[in-house]
Amino acid sequence: MAARMTAIRMSIIDQIAWIRRRMRSSSPKTRCVKPINGLSLTQIGIDNIAMSQAPHFPRMITIADVARAAGVSSMTVSKVLRGTGRIAAETRARVTQIAEELGYVPNRLAGSLSSQTSSLIGIVIPSIGDQVYAGVLAGINEVLNGQGYTAFIGESFFDPEIELRIVHMMLTMKPAALILTGGLARDERTIRLLRRSGIRAVHLWDGDHPNLDATVGLSHRNAGQLAAQVFIAAGLTRCVYIGSQLDRDLCAACRLEGYSGALSEAGATLLCMTDPDLPRTAETGYVLTRRLLEQGAPPQAIHYLNDAMAIGGLRFMNEASITVPQTISVNGFNGTALAHSLTTRLTTIEVPLMEVGRRAATAALTIPPADAERSVDLIEITLTMGNTTACRP
């Protein structure tokens, strides 16, 4: 009886130490290791390694370990960690402290599988290294963090097969919603997966082709038209487009359509200088601008796929002593260069990136009526005039 009372009076630290000793003492002396890529340990030549040399992988603390150390049931621990049930304050505090000391991490995936709910929001973007999507993600996270949700991000690199694989994996985690960037040729298998899952999915960025349960984006065709109208208004008729990877980025291709159409209606000419393989970076803008200007007489105006490429093009023109906008007028798209401009202020189509993200996250968390139609939220874009575009005298 005295021994039993002593055990009951054990401090929390002693209980934790006891649990850890039991874990070590109960570890098997020999270990059955599963084959790796079809090869057993014997086949890959490490079957004779002494057990003391083998790597040690401690097992994870379970809810049963926390319950044992706290002297309560696993159900009580579960209720404490989920913040539910009528549990005494002293018990709740003790269980919480022991869970923290033991380093217990709840299996949120298992919880979502049993309850069909999750605090995860899956997000698929082309590249986290693109400044555009960095701004959009900042807006998404601002909303999600305020609502107690966590973003889980995947990169598709404009590849429908990669997007399919990421979406499939995310759906196994029972997310509360998905946000998928448009502008790529989405695989039909991805669409079928989303329909059958019942998970709310938001189509991001591509406002010209509404899709999924809700769409939040901009009209890229209108953006291209706006870029052309700047040049037309200045009386510039010999125009160029510089871009890359248009076969992958369908939104960029849509902007080019708008740009080309507006120029054609105004009687202006258009030359396209693109490369399907080069990245959409300042260096590519530099290379393609040099390639263009080495071919002959300079054009009057150049519209770039994005601000980064425009900055690269301006760098080459500066090195080649080509005056902007006196000789060539330049504009870009997305507005990411505005925060870094000093003496050169790029004329650009500005997109409120964080607002796009905020509204996409809000759409993802919105539960519409069962008979609601697909929602489309078009973001307003604006032309920001810099000093790289000539004005009509």
Side-chain angles (χ1 to χ4, degrees):
M1 185 66 176
R4 184 168 177 268
M5 292 298 293
T6 301
I8 292 174
R9 293 193 181 101
M10 287 173 66
S11 69
I12 288 174
I13 299 301
D14 290 338
Q15 292 178 59
I16 292 169
W18 180 79
I19 288 289
R20 287 176 173 161
R21 285 197 300 272
R22 285 292 301 269
M23 288 172 62
R24 285 196 295 269
S25 64
S26 62
S27 298
K29 300 303 180 182
T30 59
R31 190 184 301 268
C32 178
V33 182
K34 294 181 179 179
I36 302 174
N37 294 330
L39 297 177
S40 69
L41 293 182
T42 301
Q43 289 171 308
I44 59 177
I46 59 173
D47 55 317
N48 293 321
I49 295 178
M51 202 62 203
S52 61
Q53 297 174 304
H56 174 62
F57 301 101
R59 73 173 179 86
M60 293 186 67
I61 298 293
T62 67
I63 200 168
D65 295 326
V66 178
R68 189 179 300 113
V72 297
S73 68
S74 295
M75 181 61 71
T76 298
V77 174
S78 178
K79 289 179 179 180
V80 168
L81 298 180
R82 287 186 287 116
T84 62
R86 300 176 63 180
I87 310 295
E90 185 274 332
T91 301
R92 189 179 297 277
R94 185 174 75 255
V95 169
T96 300
Q97 182 178 351
I98 290 174
E100 291 177 356
E101 292 287 348
L102 286 175
Y104 173 68
V105 179
N107 187 339
R108 298 299 184 192
L109 178 57
S112 68
L113 290 174
S114 62
S115 65
Q116 300 299 307
T117 61
S118 169
S119 62
L120 290 177
I121 302 291
I123 305 169
V124 184
I125 58 174
S127 172
I128 200 169
D130 191 316
Q131 279 186 290
V132 165
Y133 299 108
V136 172
L137 286 174
I140 290 175
N141 279 319
E142 180 182 294
V143 173
L144 297 188
N145 291 337
Q147 298 293 325
Y149 289 87
T150 301
F152 187 81
I153 303 167
E155 297 176 280
S156 70
F157 303 103
F158 292 111
D159 188 325
E161 286 286 338
I162 294 177
E163 184 193 55
L164 172 62
R165 186 171 70 245
I166 293 172
V167 168
H168 187 278
M169 182 275 297
M170 285 182 171
L171 288 177
T172 67
M173 304 178 74
K174 300 294 182 182
L178 292 175
I179 301 175
L180 309 181
T181 305
L184 80 170
R186 181 160 292 132
D187 195 299
E188 279 296 325
R189 292 172 293 175
T190 302
I191 297 173
R192 287 198 300 271
L193 270 177
L194 293 170
R195 286 174 180 165
R196 293 170 181 171
S197 72
I199 301 296
R200 183 166 173 79
V202 175
H203 185 67
L204 175 69
W205 193 242
D206 182 7
D208 294 291
H209 306 95
N211 207 324
L212 307 179
D213 299 309
T215 295
V216 177
L218 60 133
S219 172
H220 292 268
R221 183 170 284 103
N222 289 350
Q225 292 170 349
L226 188 54
Q229 289 163 6
V230 175
F231 296 150
I232 294 166
L236 308 174
T237 58
R238 290 185 290 107
C239 302
V240 166
Y241 173 85
I242 290 182
S244 64
Q245 300 180 344
L246 298 183
D247 57 329
R248 305 181 204 174
D249 184 354
L250 303 186
C251 287
C254 191
R255 291 199 299 276
L256 175 55
E257 288 178 9
Y259 179 66
S260 173
L263 292 177
S264 178
E265 288 180 9
T269 61
L270 172 63
L271 171 67
C272 291
M273 177 64 66
T274 64
D275 191 295
D277 301 316
L278 293 177
R280 302 130 53 87
T281 61
E283 185 58 31
T284 295
Y286 181 97
V287 169
L288 294 181
T289 302
R290 180 181 63 193
R291 192 180 299 174
L292 167 73
L293 297 177
E294 286 175 348
Q295 293 181 357
Q300 292 177 307
I302 304 175
H303 172 53
Y304 288 85
L305 178 145
N306 60 23
D307 282 9
M309 295 183 73
I311 293 299
L314 287 170
R315 181 163 62 88
F316 174 78
M317 286 182 257
N318 180 63
E319 293 177 3
S321 300
I322 298 172
T323 56
V324 177
Q326 292 82 358
T327 304
I328 301 177
S329 286
V330 169
N331 66 29
F333 168 79
N334 66 33
T336 56
L338 296 176
H340 308 289
S341 60
L342 294 174
T343 57
T344 299
R345 301 186 310 279
L346 177 67
T347 296
T348 186
I349 311 300
E350 186 174 2
V351 183
L353 301 175
M354 285 194 64
E355 183 62 18
V356 172
R358 292 187 193 103
R359 283 154 73 165
T362 300
L365 299 180
T366 299
I367 302 177
D371 58 348
E373 295 184 358
R374 175 189 300 158
S375 65
V376 179
D377 183 4
L378 285 180
I379 306 295
E380 183 179 352
I381 55 177
T382 57
L383 171 69
T384 300
M385 288 295 295
N387 57 10
T388 61
T389 303
C391 298
R392 184 183 289 275

